[in-house]
């Protein structure tokens, strides 16, 4: 498949859905089962940060019963970005062709994953977007929606990236595209990790496509959103944006 007649894309290969977990015992089994039902040919990697509630053990039981499910046990809670980077490395080492980011809490609906994978046939990266026509959020308070929309708008304008949902975390990458992002240099955590990968993708010249999704607020367990995550995202995005403008002024 081609990108507007400009680039030829090869087959996708096998998909690996990476699901980071920390204290998601109530959610890990339902989300894995939904992924396996929605995309039966895909594999699932649960990247667990040594959850004290037993999430890792439950994931091991799922893996023991299904050869399409795998578990990556990590030493402790190191943040969303570190979990995804570890999952990316695992996926590359095991020769997967597509790596998908997906939350454990059901806010990213596995039933919408086929739409992302179809779009990826003609792209390097596909983002499930809440803020393009057809996208929406369910059961969010207005304050949370304002924060998310505002964060995406601030990031888009300051970093000059043509992406509507810069902070969204439902994404599908071609593995070969990840090689162009300089992942060894990524230090951001939390939801800032998603902004970092979005700006790196645009800077690397990747073909990025957004498809609408319905984002559903979690029904079980506690949200990992915190003030520290918001503060980290704000200062990192500001630093990246200011730095980029200074580089342009200096002619770099």
């Amino acid at each position: 498949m081609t990108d507007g007649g400009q680039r030829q894309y090869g087959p996708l290969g096998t998909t690996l859905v990476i699901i980071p977990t920390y204290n998601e015992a109530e959610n890990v089994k339902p989300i894995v089962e939904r992924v396996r039902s929605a995309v039966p040919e895909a594999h699932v990697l649960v990247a667990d940060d040594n959850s004290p509630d037993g999430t890792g053990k439950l994931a091991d039981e799922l893996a023991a019963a299904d050869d399409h499910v795998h578990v990556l046990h990590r030493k402790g809670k190191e943040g969303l970005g570190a979990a995804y980077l570890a999952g990316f490395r695992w996926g590359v080492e095991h020769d997967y062709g597509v790596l998908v980011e997906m939350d454990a809490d059901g806010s990213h609906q596995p039933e919408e994953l086929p739409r992302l994978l179809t779009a990826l046939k003609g792209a390097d990266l596909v983002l499930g977007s809440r803020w393009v026509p057809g996208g929406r959020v369910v059961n969010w308070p207005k304050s949370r929606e304002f924060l998310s929309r505002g964060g995406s708008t601030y990031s888009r304008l300051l970093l000059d990236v043509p992406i509507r949902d810069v902070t969204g975390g439902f994404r599908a990458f071609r593995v070969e595209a990840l090689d162009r992002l300089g992942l060894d240099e990524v230090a951001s955590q939390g939801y800032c990790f998603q902004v970092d990968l979005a700006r790196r993708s645009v800077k690397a010249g990747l073909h990025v496509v957004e498809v609408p999704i319905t984002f559903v607020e979690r029904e079980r367990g506690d949200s990992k959103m915190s003030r520290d995550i918001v503060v980290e995202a704000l200062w990192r995005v500001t630093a990246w944006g200011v730095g980029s403008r200074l580089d342009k002024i200096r002619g770099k």
Side-chain angles (χ1 to χ4, degrees), residues 54-189:
T55 300
K57 182 177 183 296
L58 292 173
D60 284 337
E61 293 172 359
L62 294 172
D66 186 344
D67 63 4
H68 279 48
V69 179
H70 315 276
V71 186
L72 178 61
H73 292 282
R74 290 162 41 75
K75 293 181 180 180
K77 188 178 181 183
E78 297 178 356
L80 185 70
Y84 273 130
L85 290 174
F88 289 164
R89 288 191 291 269
W90 194 95
V92 170
E93 290 169 0
H94 289 80
D95 298 321
Y96 289 92
V98 175
L99 302 181
V100 174
E101 299 180 10
M102 180 182 289
D103 286 351
D105 60 14
S107 55
H108 300 149
Q109 299 187 84
E111 295 76 17
E112 295 186 315
L113 179 54
R115 190 184 315 143
L116 274 68
L117 296 178
T118 296
L120 193 62
K121 293 178 180 179
D124 296 300
L125 164 61
V126 175
L127 310 179
S129 179
R130 298 160 291 186
W131 313 131
V132 295
R136 66 191 185 106
V137 296
V138 176
N139 295 332
W140 258 16
K142 285 298 181 182
S143 58
R144 182 77 183 275
E145 182 174 345
F146 176 80
L147 179 64
S148 181
R149 282 185 180 273
S152 277
T153 300
Y154 182 75
S155 300
R156 182 175 71 250
L157 296 177
L158 196 62
L159 302 177
D160 193 26
V161 294
I163 297 173
R164 304 298 298 182
D165 194 348
V166 186
T167 63
F170 193 10
R171 303 179 172 192
F173 293 86
R174 286 180 177 264
V175 163
E176 60 268 25
L178 287 173
D179 293 337
R180 299 166 59 184
L181 300 187
L183 295 181
D184 289 342
E185 303 169 5
V186 174
S188 49
Q189 295 298 322

Side-chain angles (χ1 to χ4, degrees), residues 215-234:
F215 183 98
V216 181
E217 176 67 339
R218 69 160 63 228
E219 295 181 354
R220 298 179 297 271
D222 297 323
S223 173
K224 307 303 187 294
M225 177 64 75
S226 69
R227 181 178 179 277
D228 288 344
I229 288 174
V230 174
V231 170
E232 184 211 13
L234 179 61

